[in-house]
Amino acid sequence: MGNLVLGRAGLLLYWGALTLSLGMHGVSAGCYHRENPKCCPGRNNECQEVNRRRTLCFCDAYCQQTGDCCEDYPTVCQISAIDCIVGPWAHWTECSSLCGLGSRDRTRLVTIPPRNGGTPCPDLKQRRGCFGHNPDRCHSVKEVAKILPDIYKRNFKDPWKRPHMLAKEQQPSYCAYFRMKEVSPSCRLGLRTSRLFREKYVCVECQGEAMGVRDRCEGDGLEGTRTFWIAASNAGCQGSWVRESLHETCRCPPQSLIFV
């Protein structure tokens, strides 16, 4: 036979020709004489035996559809068959997205596995859509960051500013690290924005004077969520990114970006 793989019908024809040529006598017959497992669930062409007429027969559940079961299949397999039994569904998980479209999952466990050709187990996991809406998080996701190269960073204190503005400048900076996901073609036209490209890892510093009412910079994003940015120094340069981490009391290295 070599490496030839026979289908079910081919197996039956091949076995018939073999028994005629060899004149097989006194062979074991039926599912009862199989080594364990005597019976098999679903379709399994390896789950075979020889019947009393010296022809090939099967002991899998599929043989009931093809009509090639061994003669003792009803008494050996159907009586001893154990169907799969599953437990109750667990509770649905939380929505995978804190803001926007996501999914929920629920699972159940097998309490009794199928044996001897019993009914296979049904689905053990279900998934359905959901819409996450966390007010604090969704606010951050909807913001669009305005960014500039760090050459625009102010490293001096203006003595003419009013006291409340000076107090704001004295707030410590923090750093947001992003992975660029989309960068528009217009960014190539700018000297400094041409350094932005997809999958680049960038640090964006939020200085005190750029902080809003929440003492955060607008558009500083949400970890693991895609948000959007525009370059204030280059009209048309814009894109999206995903925040990977945020570090308090931090300053970005040279040739980074700042929030406006």
Side-chain angles (χ1 to χ4, degrees), residues 53-188:
R53 291 175 295 177
R54 294 181 299 175
T55 58
L56 192 66
C57 60
F58 294 87
C59 300
D60 58 352
Y62 188 71
C63 74
Q64 298 175 88
Q65 300 181 39
T66 52
D68 51 12
C69 297
C70 294
E71 293 175 352
D72 62 348
Y73 178 85
T75 55
V76 175
C77 297
Q78 290 184 317
I79 291 177
S80 60
I82 298 176
D83 296 336
C84 177
I85 297 179
V86 296
W89 287 106
H91 294 296
W92 289 100
T93 61
E94 295 293 327
C95 190
S96 61
S97 172
L98 294 173
C99 184
L101 293 176
S103 62
R104 298 176 185 269
D105 296 326
R106 70 172 182 175
T107 57
R108 56 183 174 181
L109 300 176
V110 175
T111 53
I112 300 179
R115 290 195 293 272
N116 300 330
T119 304
C121 296
D123 291 339
L124 301 176
K125 185 175 182 179
Q126 288 183 340
R127 174 171 293 175
R128 69 181 182 186
C130 59
F131 189 86
H133 185 72
N134 182 308
D136 295 332
R137 300 298 183 93
C138 287
H139 179 78
S140 299
V141 170
K142 293 175 182 177
E143 293 177 343
V144 177
K146 293 179 182 178
I147 57 175
L148 281 172
D150 63 356
I151 60 167
Y152 296 97
K153 183 187 294 186
R154 293 182 61 121
N155 293 317
F156 65 92
K157 305 301 179 185
D158 186 350
W160 300 102
K161 279 197 172 181
R162 296 180 183 272
H164 71 280
M165 295 299 294
L166 285 173
K168 195 172 185 181
E169 278 189 3
Q170 292 168 2
Q171 287 185 263
S173 300
Y174 67 87
C175 305
Y177 288 87
F178 295 89
R179 183 76 61 183
M180 288 286 183
K181 293 300 178 183
E182 292 177 278
V183 179
S184 67
S186 300
C187 297
R188 302 194 200 105

Side-chain angles (χ1 to χ4, degrees), residues 1 6 9-19:
M1 290 178 61
L6 295 176
L11 281 171
L12 292 169
L13 290 173
Y14 173 76
W15 185 262
L18 184 65
T19 53

